[in-house]
């Protein structure tokens, strides 16, 4: 491991590319932390697994179509393909669970399986046809290859994520209302179906924004680990959202710096493992964790409930 | 659409609020997967009165309540609140209707405090609302929490509370908007007698002072006489009347079968 390179990367002196990637992955982590928090409380985080796997055939189809008409398969183009198929997959899941005999876990698992099957088939077709002539490899988009990120790619990721963040924060209260008590939210005048769709759409956009940097498959970890870690520290939803964003951002930032300073350390996995280590540390130290080794500074005992 | 009753009383516009029932249910029926849960049922509830809805398990009491609110799909029928057609749940905010769900249906591990739950009973302030409005909202939430005796626990996570305390919080959430119509689904289920008495007192005070009509799905047959009106349900409404008339041996037998004796 190159310690100097690590220090340089952490202080944004690791060179143009490293700085670009670390900032964009840190922002990706922060937004994933925010959107992931809302997905967690609405109990739809597993949808991001469907989204990521359904993105693979989507990316492949966009890749094939773009190559066939002679376009360079750039990131936004592939992202649109991924988005379309992921939206279809999310729609299929929602329709499946309305059938009384199909439970939610089965609906999710079968959709993931089906779309992943289609994805692997399309990728092997692409590879056998030797499409990857123009030095762009389809697997870079799926497994992540941040060294391929250009300034344009970064700008695209930043703008998509900014929009996601703004919408997520603006709709925060509606997400909370709908998650806690959908019936009461309706009675308050909220259109809960529309709010759910907005949340799913934000989840789609965030997952797919991680395409070239982290890789779509690993995005599920970045969306789920920060919020559950933050949940161990607080039961206040605003605090959870902020802590989750900070954990996501620092996992992204530290992960990129580490992978830049160690040879052959893949970025996506490093970022995810950093996030996971935050979770493991929190499991043994956070106040809301049942495994916590640190004794509770018992708020419970100080204000014993007084029942009149 | 106006209800038939409201058309009659249009001439005497002065007394409309006196004569119009707070809730009118016409031929309401519910079916799940083509299995009928509730045959067409009608009843009417005047303002400031408290009505209990009782019946055996699976009689369609909760379905009746949820169909009134339209959070369960109605198969037929119409509902009027203060003479106005109530046909989508989103109108509840406009008509000032509150609802207390069954306690078992709430996710108690949800990361939210007592204050947060009660605040959900009100529409959220706009981001740039004047400081004054925010202060008034804050005061209303605090006084609703105080009303149910939970001030000291206002910043607790709801999962840390006892069953009775949790139910108090949901009462505060329902009452914070000072509703004109309040629907409750088995609010006293699993709640000890002192807390039940306290919550019942809060309800009847609200009915009196705030002219709130209360519709309460109630399990304990022995305390039905405390309500102004009693509706007995078993797949359909058997009777909807004062406790004295409703709780006749014939009606009880029709509703609960032979086993139950008062």
């Amino acid at each position: 491991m190159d310690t100097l390179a690590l220090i340089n990367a952490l202080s944004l002196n690791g060179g143009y590319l490293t700085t670009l990637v670390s900032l964009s992955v840190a922002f990706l982590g922060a937004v994933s932390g925010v959107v992931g928090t809302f997905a967690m409380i609405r109990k739809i985080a597993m949808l991001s697994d469907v989204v990521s796997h359904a993105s693979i055939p989507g990316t492949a189809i966009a890749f094939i179509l773009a190559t066939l008409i002679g376009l360079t398969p750039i990131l936004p183009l592939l992202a649109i393909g991924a988005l379309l198929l992921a939206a279809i997959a999310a729609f299929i899941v929602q329709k499946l669970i309305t059938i009384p005999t199909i439970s939610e876990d089965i609906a999710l698992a079968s959709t993931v399986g089906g779309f992943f099957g289609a994805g692997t088939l399309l990728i092997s077709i692409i590879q056998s046809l030797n499409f990857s002539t123009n030095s762009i490899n389809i697997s870079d988009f799926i497994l992540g290859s941040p060294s391929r990120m250009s300034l344009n790619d970064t700008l695209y990721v930043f703008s998509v994520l900014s929009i996601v963040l703004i919408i997520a924060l603006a709709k925060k209260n509606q997400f909370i209302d709908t998650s806690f008590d959908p019936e009461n939210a309706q009675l308050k005048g909220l259109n809960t179906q529309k709010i759910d769709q907005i949340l799913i759409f934000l989840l789609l956009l965030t997952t797919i924004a991680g395409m070239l940097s982290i890789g779509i498959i690993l995005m599920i970890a970045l969306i789920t680990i920060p919020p559950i870690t933050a949940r161990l520290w607080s039961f206040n939803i605003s605090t959870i959202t902020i802590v989750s964003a900070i954990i996501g951002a620092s996992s992204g930032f530290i992960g990129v710096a580490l992978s830049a300073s160690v040879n052959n350390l893949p970025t996506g996995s490093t970022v995810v493992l950093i996030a996971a280590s935050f979770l493991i540390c929190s499991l043994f130290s956070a106040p809301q964790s049942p495994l916590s080794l640190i004794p509770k500074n018992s708020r419970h005992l100080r204000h014993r409930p007084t029942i009149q | 659409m106006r209800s038939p009753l409201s058309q009659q009383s249009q001439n005497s516009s002065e007394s409309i609020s006196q004569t119009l029932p707070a809730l009118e249910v016409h031929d309401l029926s519910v079916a799940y997967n083509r299995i009928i849960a509730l045959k067409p049922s009608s009843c009417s509830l005047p303002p400031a009165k408290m009505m209990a809805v009782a019946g055996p398990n699976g009689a369609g009491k909760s379905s009746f309540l949820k169909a009134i609110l339209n959070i369960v799909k109605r198969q037929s029928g119409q509902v009027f609140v203060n003479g106005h057609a109530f046909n989508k749940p989103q109108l509840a905010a406009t008509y000032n209707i509150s609802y207390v769900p069954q306690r078992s249906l709430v996710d108690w591990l949800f990361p939210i405090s007592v204050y947060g739950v009660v605040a959900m009973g009100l529409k959220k302030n706009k981001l740039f609302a004047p400081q004054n409005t925010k202060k008034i909202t804050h005061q209303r939430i605090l006084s609703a929490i105080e009303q149910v005796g939970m001030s000291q626990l206002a910043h607790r996570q709801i999962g840390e509370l006892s069953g009775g305390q949790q139910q108090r919080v949901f009462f505060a959430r329902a009452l914070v908007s000072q509703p004109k119509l309040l629907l409750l689904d088995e609010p006293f289920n699993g709640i000890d007698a002192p807390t039940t008495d306290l919550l019942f007192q809060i309800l009847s005070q609200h009915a009196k002072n705030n002219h709130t009509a209360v519709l309460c799905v109630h399990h304990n047959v022995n305390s039905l006489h405390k309500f102004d009106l009693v509706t007995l349900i078993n797949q359909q409404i058997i009777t909807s009347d004062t406790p004295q008339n409703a709780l006749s041996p014939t009606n009880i037998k029709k509703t609960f079968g032979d086993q139950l004796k008062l």
Side-chain angles (χ1 to χ4, degrees), chain A residues 32-55:
Chain A
S32 305
V34 173
V35 174
T37 302
F38 300 135
M40 170 182 77
I41 59 170
R42 190 70 188 98
K43 300 196 167 79
I44 58 164
M46 262 305 278
L47 257 184
S48 72
D49 197 25
V50 174
V51 170
S52 60
H53 284 85
S55 300

Side-chain angles (χ1 to χ4, degrees), chain A residues 41 43 100 173 176-177 179-181 183-184 186-192 231 234-237 240 288 299-300 303-308, chain B residues 66 69 71 89-90 92-93 99 101 106-107 109-113 117 120 122-124 149 152-153 155-158 160 165 168 170 173:
Chain A
I41 59 170
K43 300 196 167 79
N173 287 332
I176 297 173
D177 272 324
S179 305
F180 180 59
D181 189 344
E183 289 177 347
N184 189 64
Q186 278 186 33
L187 297 175
K188 253 175 100 167
L190 299 180
N191 184 343
T192 49
R231 178 68 183 86
S234 169
F235 64 80
N236 178 306
I237 197 77
I240 294 175
Q288 304 263 321
R299 274 183 332 140
H300 296 248
H303 315 266
R304 258 278 172 240
T306 45
I307 302 167
Q308 292 104 10
Chain B
K66 289 187 173 182
L69 290 168
I71 46 186
Q90 280 79 7
Y99 170 58
V106 176
D107 172 12
L109 291 175
F110 196 88
I112 195 165
S113 66
V117 173
M120 281 184 175
L122 292 170
K123 286 203 165 183
K124 290 281 184 323
Q152 280 176 307
L153 305 174
H155 296 290
R156 276 293 191 77
Q157 199 245 329
I158 47 161
E160 296 176 8
Q165 291 168 338
R168 291 175 192 220
F170 273 76
R173 182 183 77 171

